[in-house]
Amino acid sequence: MTKPITGAQMVVQALKDQGVDVVFGYPGGAVLPIYDEIFLQEGIKHILVRHEQAAVHAAEGYARSTGKVGVAIVTSGPGATNAVTGLTDALMDSIPILVISGQVPTFMIGTDGFQEADTIGITRPCTKHNWLVRDTDRLAPILHEAFHVARSGRPGPVLVDIPKDVQFAAGAYVEKSKTDVSRYQPRLKGDPAILTMLAEAMATAKRPIIYSGGGVINSGPVASQLLRELAEETGFPVTSTLMGLGAYPASGDKWLGMLGMHGLYEANLAMHGCDLMINIGARFDDRITGRTGDFSPNSVKAHIDIDPSSINKVIHVDMPIIGDVAHVLEDLLRIWKSQGRKTDKEALAEWWRQIDEWRAVDCLGFENSEKVIKPQHALKRLEELTRGMDRYITTEVGQHQMWAAQYLRFDEPNRWMTSGGLGTMGYGQPASMGVQMAHPDSLVINVAGEASWLMNMQEMGTMVQYRMPVKQFILNNERLGMVRQWQELLHGERYSQSWSEALPDFVKLAEAFGAKGIKCSDPADLDDAIMEMLNYDGPVIFDCLVEKHENCFPMIPSGEAHNTMLLPNAKTQGQITGTGAVLV
């Protein structure tokens, strides 16, 4: 018979059994028994963040860059409520994380005790599932089940709330292999009949497109390889959502670029004009569809998704395929090859000629300057100077995020970490810590705007403490850039509260934390400054002063169809707006 151990010991043992090597957290009274056990063990490294929101975002960065479940530990009350933003972010973007929260003792629940909050009630809408553990004997099975739920099916965040007396009490530990997880077994294989229909549609399509999303990356590296094989086998063009970048290589000859609100002209028009759309692991987000009634109106639509609730939720599809991307693509390719299917090569060649005409518009073109650094230019130089390096990119949220998606290129999955669905300002800096802990010898860069970066600036202390050489590449326009852009284009140039005043001296701020600060405002100095950042063996804040009023194009205006875009130049016919953009 196994010797009883305390609930706190069970937590540490369960994490080890699940292969966890690092956790992010912040101690407090309701989790001190767990922290005592962390102190007494070896094998799991704990990273002390400066705010619980940062702990969850760091766990997200770790999870997104590894495919493993990220783990954060927070205390009761404000510790748990500070984790809500990160949990919601992970739910929206399907990131597998586990948050372990402390709770007041079971006999105090409901008494409004010190630092008590209804963590289960608060986090129910923003987790895939959550548990309140009242019995120590149930703790280990619940923890193992939590890992299973987080990583299975459509990944997502889970939370286990553990009262303090349960952490102190002794009980029987249940091993991972003996835990019953049969209650949650998502469907992995697609319907063969529908896959056969899709293969037939692929053979006759004249204007096909593959629309890939974050589900390809979540399915694992095999799914990305199968996506590439599908594109090569068929010759179909491939586009991607913000979350799916890297699943198909940006250097691949079938790559159209990102689509959506700030996606490429050719990708959006190809999506609108296609006759067969194969959605692989995307959820028809509103940033992609624009006005749903006019979204890709003449196409036959197939949708591959492991989450049944995503099928027909936003856009009605003709071929719903529920299953894991890797399993479905494997079966689709097998059916395609076994039947000797061939594409309509003549029609496909004509489709590519049309796409090349759209590409000639050069929707990412911009007028560079020798006097001020354009943000697009800064990212093009960052891309050029880091190309070929073992590089991971995180971002904050705003214009810089979209420019990063447009100008940085990803040939592998799990190299791009950004907040897509929730759009969380303050995500990138702590996420970059999680990525760096997962890949200590790799180059990790957080592309930021000064406003977003300040929301979790305190984590520079964490990076210095743990010697994380993350580079914070701040495009500083002294504005809430995306807010200012919308106010210019859609709100009559009424700039309400979109200027960032009283900004810190980022170089002095870096030095105050014990990091290196670099400031650059002259385009002629940019390359040397970037190389100085890359060559420094430690955390860096790079303050890149950029054009203050540059807008991010292309842009689908709010409420418009996805083939209606504001472009940055007048190479196409259309209505020229007061900002020099072209409405196509």
Side-chain angles (χ1 to χ4, degrees):
M1 184 174 179
T2 305
K3 179 182 177 181
I5 60 175
T6 68
Q9 290 171 323
M10 288 183 187
V11 170
V12 172
Q13 188 59 49
L15 295 180
K16 288 184 175 181
D17 286 354
Q18 291 288 342
V20 174
D21 55 1
V22 61
V23 299
F24 307 88
Y26 202 98
V31 284
L32 285 185
I34 295 173
Y35 272 85
D36 198 37
E37 292 302 325
I38 289 174
F39 179 84
L40 295 171
Q41 61 83 46
E42 295 181 358
I44 298 176
K45 186 174 182 64
H46 181 279
I47 303 301
L48 176 65
V49 297
R50 274 45 177 176
H51 192 282
E52 292 88 355
Q53 180 187 350
V56 184
H57 291 326
E60 286 188 273
Y62 178 94
R64 185 70 175 175
S65 67
T66 63
K68 301 177 183 178
V69 177
V71 180
I73 302 175
V74 301
T75 194
S76 62
T81 58
N82 282 345
V84 166
T85 298
L87 286 167
T88 309
D89 189 273
L91 184 70
M92 293 285 280
D93 286 344
S94 306
I95 309 301
I97 62 170
L98 164 64
V99 172
I100 296 171
S101 60
Q103 185 54 273
V104 299
T106 53
F107 59 85
M108 289 182 61
I109 292 175
T111 67
D112 293 334
F114 177 67
Q115 289 195 333
E116 180 188 1
D118 179 12
T119 302
I120 293 298
I122 291 168
T123 62
R124 185 170 288 117
C126 57
T127 54
K128 195 175 175 185
H129 196 62
N130 60 15
W131 296 260
L132 171 62
V133 185
R134 292 178 176 270
D135 181 355
T136 305
D137 285 333
R138 289 283 301 135
L139 179 54
I142 284 174
L143 287 167
H144 293 313
E145 185 180 8
F147 274 93
H148 172 73
V149 171
R151 67 166 71 97
S152 301
R154 178 180 177 180
V158 295
L159 178 138
V160 178
D161 197 32
I162 313 175
K164 192 170 184 178
D165 56 331
V166 172
Q167 299 171 42
F168 276 124
Y173 182 76
V174 179
E175 296 176 2
K176 172 185 174 183
S177 61
K178 296 180 180 179
T179 301
D180 181 12
V181 295
S182 60
R183 290 186 299 171
Y184 181 61
Q185 296 294 338
R187 178 177 173 179
L188 301 179
K189 305 281 279 186
D191 186 329
I194 302 179
L195 289 175
T196 301
M197 288 175 54
L198 177 54
E200 293 170 355
M202 289 161 55
T204 58
K206 298 184 182 302
R207 300 182 309 281
I209 192 168
I210 296 172
Y211 158 35
S212 61
V216 181
I217 293 173
N218 286 339
S219 182
V222 172
S224 293
Q225 286 302 121
L226 291 169
L227 172 65
R228 297 165 193 224
E229 184 179 344
L230 179 66
E232 292 307 309
E233 185 72 24
T234 61
F236 291 178
V238 182
T239 184
S240 169
T241 65
L242 179 73
M243 299 304 296
L245 295 177
Y248 183 85
S251 60
D253 60 0
K254 308 299 185 294
W255 178 238
L256 294 186
M258 182 180 73
L259 80 163
M261 177 171 282
H262 292 286
L264 273 62
Y265 179 72
E266 53 266 32
N268 283 333
L269 288 194
M271 182 71 97
H272 187 266
C274 69
D275 66 353
L276 174 64
M277 177 195 304
I278 307 173
N279 178 334
I280 306 176
R283 59 187 178 86
F284 290 112
D285 176 70
D286 62 282
R287 302 291 95 170
I288 300 299
T289 64
R291 191 169 60 230
T292 55
D294 296 314
F295 177 70
S296 193
N298 300 312
S299 64
V300 173
K301 300 175 180 66
H303 186 183
I304 302 168
D305 205 299
I306 199 166
D307 180 7
S309 70
S310 291
I311 304 287
N312 291 327
K313 182 167 68 176
V314 178
I315 298 294
H316 175 78
V317 298
D318 306 282
M319 288 174 274
I321 304 167
I322 299 169
D324 174 72
V325 167
H327 285 81
V328 171
L329 289 184
E330 183 179 29
D331 289 344
L332 177 61
L333 282 163
R334 178 180 49 78
I335 291 170
W336 175 263
K337 292 175 182 178
S338 67
Q339 295 180 349
R341 295 287 184 181
K342 301 294 182 182
T343 59
D344 185 338
K345 288 186 167 36
E346 185 176 337
L348 198 55
E350 180 59 33
W351 179 227
W352 275 109
R353 280 192 288 271
Q354 173 63 77
I355 290 171
D356 286 339
E357 287 183 17
W358 291 329
R359 279 176 169 164
V361 170
D362 187 22
C363 68
L364 294 183
F366 63 95
E367 186 177 345
N368 207 3
S369 170
E370 295 182 355
K371 297 180 179 179
V372 63
I373 299 173
K374 291 295 186 79
Q376 303 97 317
H377 176 67
L379 287 169
K380 288 188 75 172
R381 296 312 304 152
L382 183 67
E383 164 63 24
E384 189 68 30
L385 293 171
T386 60
R387 187 175 298 164
M389 293 185 179
D390 180 18
R391 181 193 73 180
Y392 292 81
I393 299 291
T394 67
T395 79
E396 304 292 347
V397 169
Q399 287 179 315
H400 62 274
Q401 176 192 28
M402 296 296 106
W403 281 317
Q406 291 171 343
Y407 292 98
L408 300 181
R409 297 169 66 80
F410 301 93
D411 282 344
E412 300 175 49
N414 304 102
R415 297 282 176 156
W416 163 254
M417 277 59 63
T418 195
S419 175
L422 194 62
T424 306
M425 295 174 71
Y427 165 90
Q429 185 178 4
S432 69
M433 300 191 308
V435 176
Q436 191 74 81
M437 289 306 302
H439 308 278
D441 298 324
S442 301
L443 171 64
V444 180
I445 303 172
N446 177 40
V447 177
E450 81 289 341
S452 279
W453 190 86
L454 287 170
M455 287 197 170
N456 271 315
M457 61 175 278
Q458 75 283 342
E459 298 309 317
M460 282 305 299
T462 308
M463 294 182 203
V464 171
Q465 177 181 346
Y466 295 98
R467 296 176 175 84
M468 302 182 200
V470 182
K471 317 307 179 189
Q472 306 296 319
F473 192 72
I474 300 175
L475 300 181
N476 184 354
N477 59 9
E478 300 179 0
R479 305 288 187 273
L480 279 66
M482 193 63 82
V483 173
R484 185 211 58 76
Q485 176 170 335
W486 280 53
Q487 288 173 337
E488 176 184 337
L489 300 177
L490 304 173
H491 295 275
E493 300 185 12
R494 293 181 292 277
Y495 301 115
S496 176
Q497 307 302 313
S498 56
W499 287 18
S500 298
E501 299 189 56
L503 289 171
D505 181 323
F506 286 103
V507 173
K508 290 182 179 178
L509 184 63
E511 293 168 350
F513 275 110
K516 182 176 183 60
I518 300 173
K519 185 175 184 177
C520 185
S521 59
D522 189 336
D525 299 331
L526 182 60
D527 279 18
D528 288 342
I530 290 176
M531 290 308 301
E532 181 183 0
M533 175 187 76
L534 297 176
N535 291 330
Y536 182 74
D537 185 20
V540 176
I541 299 177
F542 188 109
D543 185 15
C544 187
L545 299 178
V546 298
E547 166 62 49
K548 300 184 192 310
H549 300 107
E550 194 76 4
N551 286 330
C552 182
F553 296 118
M555 175 184 174
I556 301 173
S558 179
E560 294 290 344
H562 71 126
N563 65 325
T564 303
M565 284 160 278
L566 294 170
L567 298 182
N569 52 51
K571 289 186 179 180
T572 61
Q573 293 182 350
Q575 177 185 348
I576 301 177
T577 72
T579 62
V582 178
L583 186 62
V584 178

